[in-house]
Amino acid sequence: MRNPLAVSLFLLLLLPCALLAQGNEPASGNTEVKATYNVTQLGVVEVLESWKNMKMDSGTYHYFSATRESGIIPVRVEGAAFAVNFATRSYLKHEEGKVYFVTPDFYYEDSALDVRITLHVPDNLAYVSANVEPESMDAGTIEWRLDDVVHQVLVVEFTQTKPFAPPDYPTGPLFQVDPATLPELSAEDIPRSPDEALKEFETIIKMVSAQENVDPDMARVLRRSLSKFYYLFAVYGLVRDYVPEGVEETEEE
């Protein structure tokens, strides 16, 4: 018969060794990504994404957003980490009555990724399936945990139970603009669409840039302002035909 005291002493002697072995287990060393996506009632996806434990401590990282509105975003890395925040319509695809939420390709050339994804969806989208099984689902919030990722796209299928709200803002009295309050504009000057205003702004920038003594900083500020206006109009579905120079035109899904 075994001596209980001897067994207890033996286990106590083994405990430090076990703890030491556990403490020496190497961490994954992967870059950690936390992505939160909020699908609004307008069908716009608001994105907040952060990376840490990158292989570069500081500098500029060219983040590929996989969006028509933002493209490649230069982000500042500090302390081997960065965060980026933007909005897009590019992550929602509409096909044959279904709505698909599609993320960018999670890939980092210097490391595998440990990705934590949180997706908030409105009540007009009903979950059907995903190419990666969710870790949890609760009241319009779906979460995924993806470890050791090298090239991974998350695709989630939904049934749309009711339409998204139209991108146009309400046209009631509180939202109407009286042209008389804009003395700089005559009736002929009122733009008929965001496309028209963007094209006119682009023409002005070309005329300014063509001047011999143009201030390059001023020209750069004007181009950035044009990009900002395009981004806002495009995110809310107000752009129809206009495509900025240098941006490849893509077919609508």
Side-chain angles (χ1 to χ4, degrees), residues 25 35 53 57 73-74 82 148 166 183 189 193 237 246:
E25 288 180 359
N53 195 30
D57 184 67
I73 306 174
F82 75 83
D148 294 318
D189 294 326
S193 68

Side-chain angles (χ1 to χ4, degrees), residues 22-152:
Q22 183 178 5
N24 288 335
E25 288 180 359
S28 68
N30 293 343
T31 296
E32 300 173 33
V33 178
K34 183 178 181 181
T36 300
Y37 304 98
N38 179 45
V39 182
T40 72
Q41 292 286 351
L42 293 173
V44 174
V45 181
E46 299 169 343
V47 182
L48 176 60
E49 187 169 324
S50 61
W51 292 37
K52 66 179 183 179
N53 195 30
M54 299 180 69
K55 301 310 175 186
M56 60 184 297
D57 184 67
S58 61
T60 300
Y61 177 72
H62 295 281
Y63 171 87
F64 181 61
S65 71
T67 70
R68 178 178 179 180
E69 303 91 351
S70 301
I72 296 175
I73 306 174
V75 295
R76 180 179 298 174
V77 176
E78 294 182 351
F82 75 83
V84 63
N85 187 9
F86 58 93
T88 181
R89 285 179 176 269
S90 298
Y91 293 170
L92 290 183
K93 316 292 183 183
H94 300 262
E95 295 181 6
E96 300 179 351
K98 298 288 187 180
V99 177
Y100 295 89
F101 171 79
V102 183
T103 69
D105 182 13
F106 288 105
Y107 172 71
Y108 180 36
E109 62 182 3
D110 294 329
S111 169
L113 300 174
D114 291 338
V115 185
R116 305 294 177 263
I117 298 173
T118 301
L119 173 62
H120 302 286
V121 295
D123 58 5
N124 55 343
L125 292 180
Y127 175 84
V128 176
S129 63
N131 65 333
V132 178
E133 192 69 20
E135 186 176 48
S136 66
M137 288 192 294
D138 180 31
T141 298
I142 314 173
E143 297 182 332
W144 286 265
R145 179 189 181 107
L146 311 176
D147 292 326
D148 294 318
V149 166
V150 178
H151 287 302
Q152 175 70 61

Side-chain angles (χ1 to χ4, degrees), residues 106-221:
F106 288 105
Y107 172 71
Y108 180 36
E109 62 182 3
D110 294 329
S111 169
L113 300 174
D114 291 338
V115 185
R116 305 294 177 263
I117 298 173
T118 301
L119 173 62
H120 302 286
V121 295
D123 58 5
N124 55 343
L125 292 180
Y127 175 84
V128 176
S129 63
N131 65 333
V132 178
E133 192 69 20
E135 186 176 48
S136 66
M137 288 192 294
D138 180 31
T141 298
I142 314 173
E143 297 182 332
W144 286 265
R145 179 189 181 107
L146 311 176
D147 292 326
D148 294 318
V149 166
V150 178
H151 287 302
Q152 175 70 61
V153 176
L154 176 64
V155 181
V156 189
E157 179 182 342
F158 293 95
T159 298
Q160 188 167 348
T161 57
K162 59 183 179 180
F164 288 112
D168 302 321
Y169 287 101
T171 56
L174 294 178
F175 294 90
Q176 291 178 350
V177 176
D178 182 2
T181 62
L182 305 173
E184 297 86 356
L185 300 179
S186 65
E188 294 77 15
D189 294 326
I190 302 297
R192 292 169 294 181
S193 68
D195 296 77
E196 181 180 316
L198 291 170
K199 289 175 183 176
E200 182 174 332
F201 195 2
E202 185 176 66
T203 299
I204 293 173
I205 293 174
K206 288 180 179 179
M207 294 173 61
V208 170
S209 301
Q211 301 296 320
E212 292 184 0
N213 298 324
V214 64
D215 183 347
D217 292 332
M218 176 60 70
R220 186 161 49 250
V221 168

